[in-house]
Amino acid sequence: MLSKTTVKLNKTICERARRAAAAAGYSSLEEFVEHAVEKELANHEESLSKEELVRKLKGLGYLE
């Protein structure tokens, strides 16, 4: 089982997220927030991968 931690959110953001979760069909606010964070982390990691690829291609002389 995965361990859990608590994150505090501004009440306004929390209510907006709760409404968005309900509208999108998530079973809970927690499920929605976990999915949103996973999605953002994937975007960040993909961006880092692209930057690394560009550095490698520049090092090999394929890009200027």
Side-chain angles (χ1 to χ4, degrees), residues 3-16:
S3 65
K4 301 277 181 167
T5 191
T6 301
V7 176
K8 293 181 180 184
L9 297 174
N10 174 289
K11 286 184 181 184
T12 304
I13 292 173
C14 190
E15 282 307 312
R16 287 174 56 202

Side-chain angles (χ1 to χ4, degrees), residues 1-63:
M1 173 153 192
L2 296 174
S3 65
K4 301 277 181 167
T5 191
T6 301
V7 176
K8 293 181 180 184
L9 297 174
N10 174 289
K11 286 184 181 184
T12 304
I13 292 173
C14 190
E15 282 307 312
R16 287 174 56 202
R18 194 178 310 282
R19 287 192 300 271
Y26 287 89
S27 64
S28 67
L29 175 60
E30 181 180 81
E31 182 183 26
F32 174 78
V33 171
E34 284 182 359
H35 182 252
V37 170
E38 281 288 340
K39 195 171 169 182
E40 187 61 30
L41 288 171
N43 287 338
H44 178 70
E45 290 162 354
E46 181 180 317
S47 174
L48 292 177
S49 296
K50 287 179 184 176
E51 290 173 9
E52 181 64 25
L53 178 60
V54 168
R55 277 195 299 276
K56 286 180 181 180
L57 290 173
K58 282 182 179 179
L60 293 170
Y62 290 108
L63 297 176

